[in-house]
Amino acid sequence: MDKSNIIQRVKRIFIRQNVTEAAILITLLAAISRVIGFFREMMIAAFFGAKKFTDSFVVAQAIPGILAGLVAGALSSVFVPLYAEWREKKGKEEAERFASILVSDLFILLLGVTVFSYVISPLIIEILAPGFSGETRKLALDFTYIMLPGIIFWGTYGIITGLYNSHKSFVIPNLAGVLGSIVFILAIFFLHNTFGAYILPWGYLANVVIQYLLLLPALRRIGVKITWEINFRYEGLKKALVLITPIFLGQSIGLLNMAVDRIFGSFLPEGSISALNYASRVYQLPINLFVNALATAIYTDLAFQAQSENLDQFKLSLNKSLRAALFFLIPASFGLIFLAKPIVRLAFERGAFDALATKRTSESLIFYSLGLVFMSINMIITRGFFALHDTKTPVKNSIIALLFNIVLNTIFIKPLAHMGLALATSLASLISSVLLIRSLRSKISGVFSKDLLVNVFKFTLGGLFIGIVALLSFNFLYGHIFSHGQLGLAISLLVSVGIAVVIYLLLGLRWGIEESKRIFNIIKKNLELIVHLVK
């Protein structure tokens, strides 16, 4: 292969990918992003611990997160299938005009929302954290004021990334996320002494601005031109509003779930909200690594397949997505449950993050991990509903799950404190999964194959077995073979998890699981390539 062909191939990989390439590249970039994101959380934990500073930051993030997330989450969900429809029926030029109008109109609306948010922020803090008082409340309000401009950027971010995804260009948005996180980390490391805890909201804002500035100019590289055009009467906008309303409500419910946990958490001892937040960063790691990558890569295909009268290909894609996600997530859940404390110790216990913070965070992680599989199922099935232009069903199910979450929080907070809030979240996710599965079955006959259920049983059996193996291996290695320091902890964890992963893949190979076969084939091909290059 000559130099020009190599350059063209690299350009194609960065600008446009097929589903397989996309899933691999998104997973790799997500892995890098999560490692960097984890390093950021480790730095926050080391410099600020699990105290009032981090409690205030977690609550303050909720305000721009809720306001922007409502819009961005809903729009990004409807934009891909709508853009696909516009491009198929009206052509590329009109589809780009549709995107331009959406971005322009939304920018104006979010500017107004941001200004109004400065007025009502004290009230929102009072609602989100009624248990806060004194300096903690002041910090939360100050942090909020700094981060509010992020509403404009996060709010339109969903449309921009939707454009990349519609053109099967998944690398650039993920790369922008990585660079944004690096900026956040550098800000914390070099400026924490100058700004103190205030570097957290400033770093947050710098992160989103950097991502936005990287994404907009790069749109031209995928052949998309966005112009400034305000038109609140455009027919595409009207159709988007019709579809977005139930999704908007659904996103509101999801964010209300988060707000409910913050409200209950504000009445717990100082550091409890931070412990829940650190635990959520850990359990969301496998979701972000595998499920997000998979759902992002497959969503465009589902949207196009849903346009066909024959939904066989849609069913096949949905089943493959669920099977692939559960292949990773079921054993990951067992691993997080059995190894929660050493994982948290390795990730966070240093500097201001003490043994009490480790105890609270690891306890929260165990109960969050119980719902990890159900959260993943919900994400993929919800994408299926959105691809079918059914946005009402997920909303109805989300409302029921929210009500259960409130009731369960009320029941569990007194006897279990922070653990009760994590358990309530997991149980609410289970209820949501049951409702979504039942709804999709009634909508599409035979949507879930028997083969999927058989594989789930195998994943569960294998996951439980390797979880026990990982725990026994760790207990033997840590202290007996390796020292009790951080290095010994890291080696013990890596070796025990490595042993468990190898056993799981071998079990999958023996049981004829497709994902295990593919992984071994990839390993084999790469080894052959390395041998060939060495020779």
Side-chain angles (χ1 to χ4, degrees):
M1 184 180 290
D2 59 33
K3 186 178 178 181
S4 62
N5 286 335
I6 293 172
I7 292 171
Q8 288 301 317
R9 180 170 175 79
V10 170
K11 282 183 178 180
R12 190 187 66 79
I13 288 173
F14 269 87
I15 293 172
R16 187 169 286 108
Q17 307 85 35
N18 59 41
V19 172
T20 304
E21 289 173 338
I24 294 169
L25 287 168
I26 292 171
T27 301
L28 288 173
L29 285 169
I32 295 168
S33 179
R34 290 307 131 187
V35 169
I36 293 172
F38 231 92
F39 186 61
R40 180 191 65 217
E41 295 301 319
M42 289 165 62
M43 289 178 65
I44 293 173
F47 291 135
F48 304 106
K51 302 288 192 311
K52 60 186 176 185
F53 304 111
T54 46
D55 282 354
S56 299
F57 179 59
V58 171
V59 169
Q61 282 184 90
I63 297 179
I66 287 173
L67 294 173
L70 286 174
V71 179
L75 267 178
S76 62
S77 297
V78 301
F79 178 75
V80 173
L82 272 181
Y83 184 80
E85 181 185 336
W86 240 246
R87 199 170 62 181
E88 286 288 312
K89 295 179 179 178
K90 302 191 177 187
K92 181 178 180 291
E93 187 176 331
E94 191 63 26
E96 288 182 2
R97 183 170 178 245
F98 167 54
S100 298
I101 290 171
L102 270 183
V103 172
S104 303
D105 290 355
L106 188 59
F107 183 90
I108 298 298
L109 289 172
L110 291 176
L111 183 61
V113 169
T114 302
V115 173
F116 183 63
S117 298
Y118 277 99
V119 179
I120 64 169
S121 287
L123 176 62
I124 298 176
I125 289 292
E126 194 64 40
I127 294 170
L128 284 179
F132 279 7
S133 61
E135 187 181 357
T136 308
R137 186 181 182 280
K138 182 182 180 300
L139 280 169
L141 191 56
D142 288 348
F143 290 176
T144 300
Y145 287 148
I146 294 169
M147 292 190 287
L148 279 177
I151 292 172
I152 299 170
F153 298 102
W154 282 130
T156 52
Y157 189 83
I159 300 175
I160 304 300
T161 55
L163 277 168
Y164 281 100
N165 294 342
S166 296
H167 287 266
K168 296 190 176 183
S169 180
F170 304 98
V171 170
I172 295 174
N174 283 277
L175 191 58
V178 170
L179 295 175
S181 293
I182 291 172
V183 169
F184 199 167
I185 288 171
L186 293 174
I188 294 170
F189 186 77
F190 288 108
L191 300 174
H192 71 277
N193 285 326
T194 305
F195 289 90
Y198 282 82
I199 193 57
L200 297 176
W202 282 116
Y204 170 94
L205 186 60
N207 175 17
V208 60
V209 172
I210 289 294
Q211 289 190 52
Y212 205 82
L213 292 176
L214 288 169
L215 285 177
L216 269 181
L219 278 173
R220 291 183 179 273
R221 292 186 174 274
I222 61 170
V224 176
K225 184 180 179 182
I226 294 294
T227 57
W228 181 260
E229 182 179 351
I230 299 171
N231 186 350
F232 289 100
R233 296 184 177 181
Y234 185 69
E235 65 167 312
L237 182 63
K238 293 176 183 178
K239 187 164 185 177
L241 287 173
V242 170
L243 290 172
I244 202 176
T245 302
I247 298 182
F248 189 86
L249 292 173
Q251 294 286 342
S252 301
I253 293 161
L255 292 165
L256 275 174
N257 262 315
M258 178 185 70
V260 165
D261 289 345
R262 300 286 189 267
I263 292 167
F264 279 96
S266 70
F267 291 104
L268 293 172
E270 180 183 319
S272 296
I273 291 177
S274 297
L276 288 164
N277 182 62
Y278 287 127
S280 72
R281 299 295 185 187
V282 178
Y283 88 80
Q284 286 172 3
L285 183 63
I287 291 179
N288 289 323
L289 282 175
F290 304 115
V291 184
N292 275 347
L294 190 63
T296 302
I298 201 67
Y299 185 41
T300 303
D301 284 350
L302 288 175
F304 280 101
Q305 290 162 4
Q307 304 295 321
S308 171
E309 291 183 7
N310 187 348
L311 291 175
D312 287 346
Q313 195 59 43
F314 177 89
K315 294 178 189 177
L316 182 62
S317 295
L318 190 67
N319 276 271
K320 281 184 176 180
S321 300
L322 284 169
R323 190 186 67 203
L326 296 178
F327 173 78
F328 291 108
L329 268 295
I330 290 175
S333 299
F334 284 114
L336 290 174
I337 291 168
F338 285 118
L339 297 172
K341 191 169 183 179
I343 288 171
V344 171
R345 281 190 60 197
L346 180 64
F348 301 119
E349 193 176 304
R350 60 186 59 81
F353 198 95
D354 54 21
L356 177 60
T358 295
K359 180 177 180 294
R360 286 176 176 167
T361 304
S362 58
E363 289 169 345
S364 302
L365 178 58
I366 290 170
F367 286 97
Y368 271 139
S369 298
L370 294 172
L372 182 61
V373 168
F374 307 114
M375 295 172 197
S376 305
I377 291 171
N378 295 344
M379 287 178 64
I380 293 175
I381 294 181
T382 299
R383 291 291 182 104
F385 275 109
F386 290 162
L388 292 164
H389 287 201
D390 180 357
T391 55
K392 294 180 180 178
T393 302
V395 173
K396 293 176 184 176
N397 294 334
S398 296
I399 291 172
I400 297 170
L402 170 63
L403 295 175
F404 269 101
N405 190 32
I406 295 171
V407 172
L408 293 169
N409 272 333
T410 306
I411 294 170
F412 293 132
I413 189 169
K414 190 172 183 179
L416 295 174
H418 52 283
M419 294 178 285
L421 300 185
L423 177 60
T425 299
S426 293
L427 291 176
S429 297
L430 166 61
I431 292 164
S432 182
S433 290
V434 172
L435 293 172
L436 284 169
I437 290 169
R438 189 181 65 178
S439 298
L440 194 58
R441 273 179 171 168
S442 64
K443 190 177 184 70
I444 303 175
S445 177
V447 64
F448 300 113
S449 66
K450 292 180 180 179
D451 180 62
L452 177 63
L453 297 177
V454 171
N455 277 299
V456 167
F457 175 75
K458 291 177 181 178
F459 301 159
T460 304
L461 192 63
L464 177 60
F465 177 70
I466 67 162
I468 295 170
V469 168
L471 178 62
L472 293 175
S473 300
F474 175 79
N475 289 337
F476 173 74
L477 292 170
Y478 189 55
H480 292 88
I481 306 297
F482 301 107
S483 66
H484 274 280
Q486 283 284 314
L487 181 60
L489 178 62
I491 295 172
S492 300
L493 260 179
L494 286 172
V495 172
S496 57
V497 170
I499 292 169
V501 168
V502 171
I503 292 172
Y504 183 68
L505 291 175
L506 289 172
L507 282 173
L509 199 62
R510 183 172 180 82
W511 291 340
I513 294 172
E514 188 65 31
E515 284 69 22
S516 287
K517 293 178 183 178
R518 288 181 182 177
I519 290 170
F520 275 108
N521 284 334
I522 291 170
I523 293 170
K524 183 181 177 182
K525 286 179 181 179
N526 280 285
L527 286 175
E528 289 174 352
L529 179 61
I530 292 169
V531 170
H532 177 71
L533 290 172
V534 170
K535 288 181 177 179

